[in-house]
Structures are given as C-alpha cells and as structure tokens.
Amino acid sequence: MNKYVYAIICWPIFFAQTAITQSDSTAWLQRVTADTSKPQLNMDAVYNRPFLQAGKMPVALGGYVESKVEYLRTDGISEGWQFQMQRMTLFVSSSLHHRIKFLSELEFEEGTKEINIEFASLDFQFTPLFNLRSGIVMNPIGAFNQNHDGPKWEFNDRPLSATQLLPATFSNVGLGIWGKIARQDWVFAYEAYLTNGFDQQIIENNENKTFLPATKNNPGRFEENFNGVPLFTGKIAVRQRKWFEIGLSTMQGIYNKFEEDGLRFDKKRTVRVWAVDFNLSLPKTQTSLNGEWAWVSVDVPGTYSQQFGEKQQGGFLDVVQPVLKGKMLGFDNAVLNLACRLEYVDWNVGNFKETGSNIGDHLWAIVPAVSFRPSAQTVLRLNYRRRFQTDLLGNPPALTGGFQFGVASYF
Amino acid sequence: MKKWLTLILLAGISILSCEKLLPPTPAEDELLDGPVPGLSGEQNLRFLEGDIAFNDEVFTPQTGLGPLFVATSCGSCHAGDGKGTPFTTLTRFGQTDSTGNYYLHLGAPQLQHRAIPGYTPEALPPDIAFSKLTPPANTGLGYLDLVSDADILAMADENDTNGDGVSGIPNWIKLPGYVKPRAGAVIKNGRHIGRFGKKASAYDLLHQTASAYNQDIGITSTFEPFDTYLKQEVEPEVSNQTVLDVVFYLQTLKAPLQRNPNAPDVHAGKELFTQIKCAACHRPELKTGDSEVAALSNQTFYPYTDLLLHDMGSALDDGYTEGTAAPAEWRTPPLWGLGLSPNSQGGRFFLMHDGRAGSIEEAILLHGGEAEESRNLYKALQASERQKLLAFLESL
C-alpha cells in the first residue's frame, strides 16, 4: 500500500478519544479524517476508513465504490468492451461505549448479483493487548483480505492470488481475540479466531481444480458450520513505523463432511494455508512495495485424480512510485503514480505420476499502471494487463492482454 | 504540470491504439477448436451449446458425478479437442477374444479407478490383460461419421487378395438399442461396422458420447441409464438435449488444416508416404455422403485413415480387445492434426494407442504385423528422405 495514501485516509475509530475531528463544510455532518499519529497495521484497515458522522451521534457511515471499463483479448477472442460495477460497499460503525465498538461492512458486488456481509462484528476491549471480537469476522489470512478497499489500490483488479487462490474477501461467523502493543517505533499485533470454515466445494466445483474460493458459493455458511469443526485463523504482525510491516498468518481446518447423524463415512480432511505479507516504504523515494505469498495444502481424497491439486501457491508484488505531487487539474493535493504488479498462481504444484512432467494449471500476469489520485480517497487508474495462463497438461499458455480503466473512491 | 499530464494522456492513448498489446488470434491452421466452415447461424448456436457442455461443464457429486468415475468432464481428457496424455488415459480390461467380456461383474470393460469421497474405486483384478488408451483428437469426426459402410468395406481386404501384406477388416459390433443404424448400413450376423475409438468399437457419435458420459464420468442418461456403481438403472443425470448438443458439436468440429502443404519437403514427403505404403492404411482421401448438415454433405476430406482394424504385431498386443477385433488389431488412427499433437499433450508427443511413442519416428518404428513391410521401407529410407516424410507428417 502506498504509505502516503495510507496516512491520509487512516482514521482509527478505536482511538476516537484522542483523535481530532475536523468540521466539514456541511453543518452537522462531519467527515472523520486521519490520525497519522499511530502506526497502522493491515489489521487496522477495517477501522481505518473515512467515515461520516452526524453531530454527536455515536454512529458513523462510510463506504466506497469501484467500477471499471475494460477491453481484454485472449488469443484473439474478446468479449468486447465490458463496463463493470465491481462493487459498492457500505460501512456502519458505532461506538456503544468507548471500549465497545461495532463495525459492519456490506458489499454489493457486480450490481446486486452478490450481496455479502463482509464484516459485522462487535469488539470488546479489555486491554489494548486483549480484545474480544465476535460476529462475522474477516479471516486474517495474508494482508489483502483485511485491507482490500478498492480506493487503496492502484490496480482495477484484485490480486489473482488473493481472489483465485485465497478466497478474498473471506469472512465467516466466529469469534476470537486480538491485540497489539506499541514500543517506540514498533508495533506488534496478533489475531486468533475460530470461525465456520471451508466445505467440500473446494474439491467439488466448476473450476475443475482445488479451489478455495468455491466455498463462498455456499449460501448457508453464515448460519451453519458445514462439518462442525471450527476453522482456526491466526496472524502475527510487526510494524516498524517508518519502514515496513511484515505478517505471518495461517488457516487450519477440516473441509469435508466426515460424519452425519453419528455415522462416519470418511476421514477428516485438512485444509491448511500459510501466508506471509509485507509492505515497505522507502522514505527517500517514497516508493512503496507491497506483497503477499500464500501456500495452500489440501488433503485431497486418494480416490481423486491429480486434476485436484494437493499443494498450491501464489502471490503478488506491487510497486508504487509517486511521480508527481501537488496541485494538478485544480486539485490541491493530487498525486500521480506509476505502478506495476506482478502476480502468480499455481493451483497444482507437482508432477504427473504417469509422465513425470510438471502439472500446469498456473498463471502469471504483469500489470503496469498509471494512477491519478485527485485526493487521497479517490483514485483513477489505467492498467494494462498481460496474463499467461497454462492449462493442467502444461500446453502452450493462453495469452490475455488488454486495458482497464476504472475509478474507485470512498464516499 | 499540465505538460506532464498531456504527455501521460498521449502515451496512454497511443498504447490503447497499439494492436500488439492485444494478443492476436493464432492462425486458423494452428487451432483444432472451431466449427466446420459454412454452418448456418442456428447451427453455430448449437455448436456453441455443445462446446460449453463438452469443455466447460464440470460434474460434481451434486450434479451426478460418479460415484465411480475417471474424470469430471469431457474437456478434462480432450483438452482443446486435441489428443490426450498418459494422465488422461482410460483403462479397459476383461475381454481377450471375440466371444465377449467375462468380467462385467467386476466393472469391465472400463476401469473406473476414481471415486467421490467415501466410495471405493474399482481396481484391476489381478493378472488380467488390459489396455490403456490415450484420448484421440476429436476433430473432423463429423466427416468420418459420414463415410458410407460400402466405402469402408471397399477398403477392407480381409484375405489380402491383393497380396500387399495389408488386410484390414471392420470391427463388427452389437448396437445398443438407442443407436440407429445409418442409411445403407451393412449388417453381418446382426452386427454393425464400428468406426470410433481405438478399436473401432463405437458406432457413431451418439454411441460414443452417451457411453463417455456413463463410463468416463459416471453420468447416466436416458440412453445409458445404468449407473456404473449400482449397476442399476437410475435417474438420468444429463439431459437428452445436452447429449445431443455435444453430439452436434463433435459432428461439426472442423477438420485440422494442413500447414504449408506446398513446401517442397512436405510435397516430397507426401510422395514417400504413398511409396512406402503408409497410405495402404492411412488413406489420404475419403468422402462423405448426404447429411442434414449441408456443410458436411458430399465432401472430400483428408483424414489419413481407412477406419479399419489392422494386426499391428505382438509388440502392440496388450491381450485386451473389443467387438470382433483381435487383441493385436487396432483401428488406423487418422493422421490429420498429427503435427499439432504437442499443443494438447503438454508440449510432447504421446502417440500410439497408449501414448508409448514419444515422437513420430518412434511411432513409425513401433509398427509391426501388417505394417511391418511399410516400417522396413521407412527404415531403408535415406536420412534426407526420412526428414521429408517427417516434414510431411508434421504438416498434417
């Protein structure tokens, strides 16, 4: 993430007491802006958003919208011009007590095709190092899943490894604890949750591959745990205030239905994910680097073929370089960035037993970008995307290329 | 500041107009997918329906997969409509001569060695003969389907009366009730001439498709209603419409186009191909009869097959067979599309019925039996002549 943007849009409701609220031009609506005094972590992203607050009401509203137009072509075949309303998200946060907070995030994807409660949880602070969170929580795997707001990114599409390998945005009903502690320029944080988890769709889906995001097709997952076994998600993160943040996270669960009505019909099959994420800003050049890498391992039944991978991995690296700052087109604090994303996903790591050759089913992409931020909360971005996707058998890759232009903004 | 912005905008626009950044269509002759030329609008629509069912419809336990199966979709094995690899093989067992298969109770003829969670897949009975079959390409099947029985029989020479060492006989098969004999069908002892599959044991594309759904994916239809696990009739798991759309798709998939047919080496190689008697089995030219699909009617096409069985010698004899074929007998595979095989076989060649040949030359050297003379003639060629022959084969 661009540190610069970060700083401006961040506003930790958590530390509402200490923040300075500024008055907007509207008489009773206040725009809650940033507190740059605290180093922020990816885990703070849900609260670090611009909100609108009416008078002294304890409820604040916010949201963002993200849309794009694209023209992509794969080996000469194009779907033409596609205008997409990717998502509109509404946040409501309220402070019931200075140590009891509620935040919800409601997302409308692709028009109203998908309406998701991304987040709806209550936080009880006992001490900064010990908070209880319960409700629909965002599983803290990698960094993108927690820190996914469209306006924060210079790219129109979410990273493929976050949405096609990991199931971002992935949230589940559950509860857990989190906390952080700051020492001079350093912040240490942890999170640990037990939630509902994955289901058998990760190996029974239309993708014809092991595909964690398929779990999100289960409409019942917010009311019922597929197999009664909680999914554990844990993360630890360290931030050095000026330079970097690094996080290590994991999800561990059972995805199959192994018994019902007390009758056993299969063994428990595990799904394990590990992820590292980091972001780094170089103060001198103001370059920011942001990346994430995840490893997935799934206990696929031995009676399945190697079509369904037992090991997967992938990640992305974004480099963002502000090239112009200042007054542009009448905006006082505008920024123009050049950026580039590299991304890779391998859904099936390994070799075929029959032939010894590498199992394909992987892709990589490079996405150079120009983005213009008239203000920190709004971004206009032009991306070129070039993607090489190899099928399971490792045949010559399908080549996709094309342009995307989009706008994302908090409101 | 303004200057900068204009610059960047201009750069953006010039990028937008740059065609190179949008990946172009590969040349038509590099692709196997796509319809035969000359389909009507409604035929194109049906082709698309079939294309989606064939390539994109992946079965899950919820939509009927299994319980026993080999793969989850047609496209998993027939990637890009090209040939498959040893990873996508089918294994068949239980029949050693024309008297039939005695292992049906153990899941023969086809091994379903995969199962949905909780079920035990089939295993080969010990010490049994079996064949592993790699998927053939699915291109141009509509043309092959329309060759008349009379034309096929005219190429057969059961007793080698012309003394060229090549006999060639049809596989006489029993038709399931849902398969309608084609116009002018020749019948012998109640059996018909099969033409699809490596042993030519499937009669037409409906026969092949309905059994593929059933045997390869564990999907029942009104055509093939018996579940391979329960061995009982169950509800259809795929609609007749979908099966027929897939049949239409297979019928109207275009034939591979030859690349550089006029290159001198290719030309010379083609002559050699006939000279060393490859064409005795790999017949260069066949013709179709009348079809409801106008684009397929009365066409001459170039598949390099006679659709007949040939004894290929003991090295290619797995001890397993189908219909009236002997275990050493295989149907001549069409050679069209041969040069494009690596594009669907993970960048390598896996030729012959089980993919054992890693190159075209290896495939030729594995020819025995009726093809022994032809193979020896190949071996006797000078290196430069072989190069020409291979250039021709790769152009197909």
Side-chain angles (χ1 to χ4, degrees), chain A residues 73 75-76 204-206 208 266 303-305 327-329 336 352 354 357 384 386 392-393 395 399-403, chain B residues 1 5 8 15 19 21-26 58 60-62 72 76 86-87 114-115 121 342-346 348:
Chain A
R73 199 151 85 181
D75 290 336
E204 294 170 0
N205 56 61
N206 291 328
N208 216 6
D266 198 1
T303 64
Y304 264 39
S305 83
K327 194 164 167 142
M328 273 179 267
L329 300 170
L336 188 73
F352 285 114
E354 289 84 353
S357 50
Y384 172 71
R386 200 161 184 87
L392 188 79
L393 299 173
N395 290 311
L399 180 56
T400 302
F403 295 91
Chain B
M1 202 67 78
L5 276 173
I8 283 172
I15 285 172
E19 272 287 299
L21 292 171
L22 299 171
T25 322
V58 176
T60 64
Q62 291 71 40
T72 48
S76 313
F87 169 68
R114 296 183 178 125
N343 287 354
S344 64
Q345 297 187 308
R348 298 157 66 176

